[in-house]
Amino acid sequence: MIYDEEFETLPREALEALQLKRLQQVVERVYHTVGFYRKAFDEAGVKPDDIQSLDDIRKLPFTNKQDLKDNYPFGLFAVPMSNVVRMHASSGTTGKATVVGYTKRDIETWSTLIARSFVAAGLTKNDIIHNAYGYGLFTGGLGAHYGAEKLGASVIPMSGGSTKRQIMILQDFGPTAICCTPSYALYLAEQGEEMGVDMKALRLRVGVLGAEPWSDRMRQEIEERLGISALDIYGLSEVMGPGVSMECSEGRNGLHVYEDHFIVEAIDPVTGEPVKNGEVGELVFTTLTKEAFPLIRYRTKDLSRLMKEACRCGRTLTRMARISGRSDDMLIIRGVNVFPSQIEGVLLGIEGLEPHYELIVDREGTLDTLEIRVEVGEHIFSDEVKELQKIERRIAKDVKDYLGVTASIKLVEPKSLKRFEGKAIRVIDKRKI
Ligand code: DLL
């Protein structure tokens, strides 16, 4: 099924003509409304008129997360605040990373792209959608919510947490679809089974899962334990939120990028040059229609492969393979994005700790766990156990308060952690996904 026959099945040539027209418009617009872009384009020696073909996009400079941080909070907005109707921010940060804004029309576009994604997953207005993505600054909750309403489906705004209650609602309201992270889908399956609920007998038939990396092995397990068809949805708050791309139920092989609204490139993360067709590269997105927060050539650090071949669903939109990793060290722990440097920042704010630490990420059953091992100074280490426990609790609280993740803390003896001559390896990720 296709929500928007016209735009999702455009012949390649017509699609590219549309992309070029929209690219020219957005480049012209940001050049005149966002100081950052004017300066960046001037420095690169490129003017809006230089964009005469889609390949000319490569004349434009990249934008990256640091640029967003440097312009915190609203420096990259392209419209006056009076036209902004909503803001979101990326998760798991101290708030100083990336803030994004939406106009009324942006929300309308976003809702339409989510509605498209739901239809690609086989949903219609007759479905009941249990939305367990977190509501709030994270784009998952409200993004999926508005898309479900746009489709005309019935949405249950569950948000995250309260797993027992979620299972009760799954039984009583009989939703036919669920939106959540893949690891939460598995956690629900596990908790339900523990409560003696036959999770396969629920009315659920489709999962629209994303916001973190997963694998076909995980898909299979989720599908078996919940008795659903589990499909992959991708997005990032900077570019829009969920619904930048979506896997279709017919193909189940790669996610269709909504190319009438975004241009996607795959580049070599080191040279910045495009990778060969079908090779793994870092995804770079340019938004074509966003008003409040247009982004030009945004480096996502997400690694994937682009597939141009036709899909059996009939969509002509390029597909991206499941995300295979990242070109930086960002971790996603229970759906929260965390950089080791942010944890370091918290540790350095606490007296008595040494700048030597190790992060051990694992998965117990279906839940991600994070252990932070950190060295303490000699004078502290000889303190009473009670004192050490106090410091552990303080670290755990600060990590939770600032970054939004729960961690277990282990203080270790001075000089007991491995030292590195080159680049320190501070993260040990034992998860097998
Ligand atoms: O995670 C938006 C989203 C919400 C997508 C709900 C899908 C469903 P951020 O919090 O800004 O936005 O995190 C974006 O999460 O750069 C990827 O590294 C990762 N990510 C998102 N979707 C997937 C996916 C939302 N399907 C970052 N597979 C991105 C793998 C994903 N990684």
Side-chain angles (χ1 to χ4, degrees), residues 143-186:
H145 184 106
Y146 273 60
E149 286 188 354
K150 175 87 190 168
L151 178 62
S154 319
V155 54
I156 308 171
M158 271 313 299
S159 196
S162 322
T163 304
K164 289 210 167 81
R165 190 146 176 256
Q166 302 235 9
I167 290 168
M168 183 185 84
I169 299 227
L170 286 171
Q171 291 175 283
D172 296 351
F173 293 14
T176 50
I178 182 159
C179 298
C180 62
T181 58
S183 54
Y184 194 64
L186 273 180

Side-chain angles (χ1 to χ4, degrees), residues 91 133 138-140 210-213 232-238 241-242 302 323 326 330 332 337:
S91 58
Y133 285 125
F138 177 53
T139 49
E212 64 181 11
D232 198 0
I233 185 164
Y234 168 86
L236 58 167
S237 40
E238 298 92 311
D302 289 323
I323 299 288
R326 289 191 49 95
M330 185 179 91
I332 303 184
N337 305 349

Side-chain angles (χ1 to χ4, degrees), residues 38-182:
R38 172 180 286 259
K39 188 159 166 266
F41 293 1
D42 284 348
E43 274 168 17
V46 53
K47 291 266 176 284
D49 281 349
D50 294 336
I51 306 300
Q52 294 301 329
S53 73
L54 280 181
D55 281 342
D56 287 338
I57 196 170
R58 283 163 43 199
K59 295 179 178 161
L60 297 167
F62 292 116
T63 309
N64 55 48
K65 212 177 186 86
Q66 189 59 43
D67 298 320
L68 270 59
K69 285 188 189 168
D70 293 346
N71 289 282
Y72 176 85
F74 308 134
L76 295 184
F77 282 22
V79 297
M81 194 53 87
S82 54
N83 291 351
V84 171
V85 299
R86 171 109 58 89
M87 288 182 228
H88 281 287
S90 65
S91 58
T93 69
T94 45
K96 296 238 184 278
T98 49
V99 184
V100 294
Y102 305 78
T103 63
K104 250 195 181 131
R105 207 187 77 179
D106 291 336
I107 296 285
E108 179 60 29
T109 309
W110 185 16
S111 308
T112 303
L113 295 188
I114 301 268
R116 277 189 189 179
S117 305
F118 285 146
V119 171
L123 303 180
T124 69
K125 68 187 283 294
N126 298 323
D127 280 286
I128 303 179
I129 301 178
H130 179 108
N131 184 16
Y133 285 125
Y135 281 64
L137 285 177
F138 177 53
T139 49
L142 285 170
H145 184 106
Y146 273 60
E149 286 188 354
K150 175 87 190 168
L151 178 62
S154 319
V155 54
I156 308 171
M158 271 313 299
S159 196
S162 322
T163 304
K164 289 210 167 81
R165 190 146 176 256
Q166 302 235 9
I167 290 168
M168 183 185 84
I169 299 227
L170 286 171
Q171 291 175 283
D172 296 351
F173 293 14
T176 50
I178 182 159
C179 298
C180 62
T181 58

